[in-house]
Amino acid sequence: MTLARLAPAIFVLLWSTGWVVAKYAAVYADPLTFLVLRYTLAILLFIGFCLVTGAKWPKSWSAAAHAVVSGMFLHGLYLGAVWWAIGQGVPAAISGIIAGLQPLMTAVAASVVIDEKLSVQQKLGLVLGFFGIALAVLPKVFSIDTGATPIHLFPVIINVLGMAAVTYGTLYQKRHLQSGDIRTIAALQYLGALIVTVPLALVLEDLHVTWNLQIFAALAWSVLGLSMGAIALLLYLIRRGQVSRAASLIYLVPPLAAVQAWLFFGEALTLPMIIGTVIAVAGVYLTNRKQQA
């Protein structure tokens, strides 16, 4: 099996764990503060990895700047918005629906911004994937007791803006970073993420962290599994194919995260979740399946 075949599955598996880590880490640290620690460690490890492996840094300041700006959107604004919104009480089910909007947003924006053409099959796959996500998580949304768990509009809006940020960041990456070493680009992207996240953490949070084994475990997985492993795979997928195809993989993340929440936190795994996941998988398959010549 080649990396090209394995990369999508590995990416989805790794990225879906971010939902579980977010819920787990929120017990021990403020969300943005945790992300600052995560990005700082990711930068240090990526720089060390680049030095050891002889990775080539961008040859021009403009190329480096493009990497930093893409990181501000892909990591800083996106993860910062999502983690902060969840910390403010946005249920994971609603956040999952919002995440399901991102592939559709990317497909529409890509057709306008970078003139990416989608076939009828791919359009059907994107719509089918979103329908599967809706079927999987909407019943859970409607079962939320808003009296006991009030949902405020502003954090939901911030969550949606986070999806818009990652959509723009994906397109920016495709347009401006088609060449260059992925290792050094990733290091510069986390610098961009820090530029966004540090001021927000200072303004919005008390910088609370409970230092224990659990927080170190959450940090270790967030940095090694997500910030290094999953992101490197995402950059690889964006570079080698259509951004709409890469974004469609996000459809598989909320259902898989629900399965992990069932395994690790005992959350209910319902029949609609199972059926919706199957439909979402079918949608991703149609979006990524090669056309017959």
Side-chain angles (χ1 to χ4, degrees), residues 21-268:
V21 172
K23 180 174 181 177
Y24 185 75
V27 178
Y28 306 104
D30 289 334
L32 297 176
T33 302
F34 183 88
L35 288 178
V36 169
L37 295 172
R38 170 177 166 177
Y39 297 151
T40 301
L41 289 173
I43 290 174
L44 295 175
L45 287 176
F46 261 117
I47 290 175
F49 182 62
C50 291
L51 293 175
V52 170
T53 58
K56 295 182 179 179
W57 293 88
K59 296 180 179 180
S60 67
W61 284 108
S62 62
H66 284 315
V68 172
V69 171
S70 67
M72 293 172 72
F73 286 93
L74 280 174
H75 307 311
L77 292 174
Y78 163 54
L79 284 181
V82 172
W83 280 52
W84 183 84
I86 292 175
Q88 294 298 308
V90 175
I94 292 180
S95 187
I97 280 287
I98 296 171
L101 290 172
Q102 196 252 323
L104 289 178
M105 293 169 63
T106 301
V108 172
S111 66
V112 175
V113 177
I114 59 176
D115 196 30
E116 180 173 286
K117 304 299 182 183
L118 295 179
S119 66
V120 173
Q121 173 186 293
Q122 289 176 311
K123 292 177 182 177
L124 175 61
L126 287 167
V127 173
L128 194 63
F130 179 72
F131 175 74
I133 291 297
L135 179 62
V137 302
L138 271 179
K140 193 170 183 178
V141 171
F142 292 139
S143 69
I144 293 173
D145 183 357
T146 56
T149 309
I151 303 171
H152 300 291
L153 180 60
F154 184 67
V156 174
I157 293 174
I158 295 299
N159 203 150
V160 173
L161 290 176
M163 290 303 112
V166 74
T167 298
Y168 179 78
T170 300
L171 297 174
Y172 191 95
Q173 168 92 15
K174 183 69 174 180
R175 169 176 280 186
H176 297 290
L177 295 168
Q178 276 293 89
S179 61
D181 196 304
I182 289 179
R183 294 165 291 181
T184 55
I185 287 173
L188 291 170
Q189 283 181 329
Y190 284 116
L191 175 61
L194 269 184
I195 292 173
V196 171
T197 311
V198 169
L200 290 175
L202 291 172
V203 172
L204 299 175
E205 297 181 345
D206 297 326
L207 307 182
H208 164 72
V209 179
T210 301
W211 296 105
N212 53 28
L213 180 61
Q214 290 85 347
I215 198 69
F216 282 113
L219 271 174
W221 180 251
S222 293
V223 173
L224 298 175
L226 297 173
S227 292
M228 298 192 74
I231 291 301
L233 287 171
L234 178 60
L235 299 182
Y236 169 78
L237 290 167
I238 291 173
R239 179 170 291 184
R240 69 177 297 271
Q242 290 177 305
V243 293
S244 299
R245 288 179 174 178
S248 71
L249 298 172
I250 303 298
Y251 280 142
L252 301 179
V253 171
L256 190 54
V259 173
Q260 293 170 2
W262 169 63
L263 289 172
F264 295 109
F265 298 110
E267 294 187 4

